[in-house]
Amino acid sequence: MKKNKLLLLSVFILSILFISSCNKQDIKTSSDEVKIQENAPVSTSKAEVSSEVKNDTKSDEKGGPWSKFTASDLDEKEYNQDILKDKKLTVVNIWGTFCGPCLRELPYLAEIAEEYKEKDVQFVGIVIDTLDQNGEYSKDQINVAKDIISKSNVKYLNLLPSPDLINIYLKNVQAIPETLILDSKGNIMQSFLGSREKDDFKKIIDEELIKLK
């Protein structure tokens, strides 16, 4: 329990850093992303923050880093890695309620999600700034997220930052929005920072679908 609490608290600290960066507007990149300050005391296992699409060709047939996790949605319903197995691709969008670039892309992410349902592609959001100062989920902040999701016409699943998600990926997040494309076994096929135009998103997804043929 203590370990889980510390993990949740680490994401809270991370979200505060994001908010600080966004409000000050002193760090903004050409790719339209909100970036953590370079001297922030968080894990930086990624060698460099880049807006370029990163390909991960070393997929593991037995299961990638996202092959085992549990997390709850904004209504406290629990999900696990099984949400991945029946889809060719899962697009995971990590976003925050304070992040302008995140909010701007949500409406057309919602459109793409509906358009690609028949292609066995699903979208999953992770709302990173949903913890209070005690490292507990904030009902007020969750309600803010729900309101944004509703107004953006987002119908796909959005998850809270669970200890599992923190451990397997979120602890290394350095800027948002960040988007990952996962295969059915939890392997990361691509990842990229910053918002994208609708056509750019579709192109990236289409390229990954072609690789699966």
Side-chain angles (χ1 to χ4, degrees):
M1 180 66 70
K2 184 177 180 181
K3 182 179 179 181
N4 288 350
K5 185 86 169 187
L6 289 173
L7 287 171
L8 289 173
L9 189 57
S10 70
V11 171
F12 167 71
I13 294 171
L14 181 62
S15 68
I16 291 298
L17 289 169
F18 275 129
I19 293 170
S20 175
S21 297
C22 189
N23 287 343
K24 290 180 181 178
Q25 297 183 348
D26 56 353
I27 301 178
K28 191 171 183 180
T29 70
S30 59
S31 63
D32 207 14
E33 67 194 34
V34 178
K35 203 170 182 181
I36 292 180
Q37 298 172 8
E38 292 181 0
N39 60 351
V42 296
S43 173
T44 55
S45 64
K46 297 177 185 176
E48 184 178 3
V49 175
S50 171
S51 61
E52 295 181 358
V53 174
K54 299 178 183 178
N55 293 285
D56 185 354
T57 58
K58 297 180 180 179
S59 60
D60 188 342
E61 289 296 323
K62 295 181 180 179
W66 290 73
S67 62
K68 187 176 182 180
F69 67 86
T70 59
S72 297
D73 67 5
L74 276 62
D75 292 314
E76 300 183 4
K77 181 179 179 180
E78 190 170 279
Y79 292 84
N80 60 31
Q81 67 279 352
D82 289 344
I83 63 175
L84 306 178
K85 67 180 184 180
D86 293 328
K87 300 295 180 180
K88 291 180 179 178
L89 297 174
T90 297
V91 181
V92 178
N93 182 249
I94 303 169
W95 64 285
T97 63
F98 60 87
C99 169
C102 302
L103 304 188
R104 284 195 292 274
E105 70 179 8
L106 279 178
Y108 55 79
L109 291 184
E111 293 174 359
I112 299 171
E114 293 300 309
E115 292 171 15
Y116 276 70
K117 276 185 176 179
E118 295 182 0
K119 297 183 180 181
D120 280 336
V121 176
Q122 69 176 343
F123 277 62
V124 175
I126 300 177
V127 194
I128 202 169
D129 60 327
T130 46
L131 297 169
D132 63 20
Q133 60 184 357
N134 297 314
E136 303 289 347
Y137 293 124
S138 167
K139 290 184 179 180
D140 289 342
Q141 196 62 17
I142 289 173
N143 286 335
V144 171
K146 285 183 177 181
D147 186 55
I148 292 171
I149 288 168
S150 176
K151 290 179 178 178
S152 301
N153 202 30
V154 170
K155 298 177 182 178
Y156 56 80
L157 175 66
N158 273 267
L159 298 174
L160 299 171
S162 70
D164 284 347
L165 295 181
I166 295 166
N167 189 48
I168 64 177
Y169 199 83
L170 297 182
K171 64 184 179 183
N172 296 321
V173 168
Q174 296 178 338
I176 56 172
E178 179 167 1
T179 303
L180 314 175
I181 298 181
L182 310 179
D183 68 9
S184 60
K185 294 181 173 63
N187 293 296
I188 301 173
M189 310 308 292
Q190 289 199 24
S191 64
F192 52 90
L193 298 177
S195 60
R196 293 289 191 279
E197 295 300 322
K198 182 177 179 179
D199 288 344
D200 293 332
F201 262 109
K202 294 174 69 172
K203 181 180 178 181
I204 293 170
I205 297 170
D206 288 340
E207 288 173 352
E208 289 302 322
L209 285 172
I210 290 173
K211 294 177 184 178
L212 295 176
K213 291 182 178 180

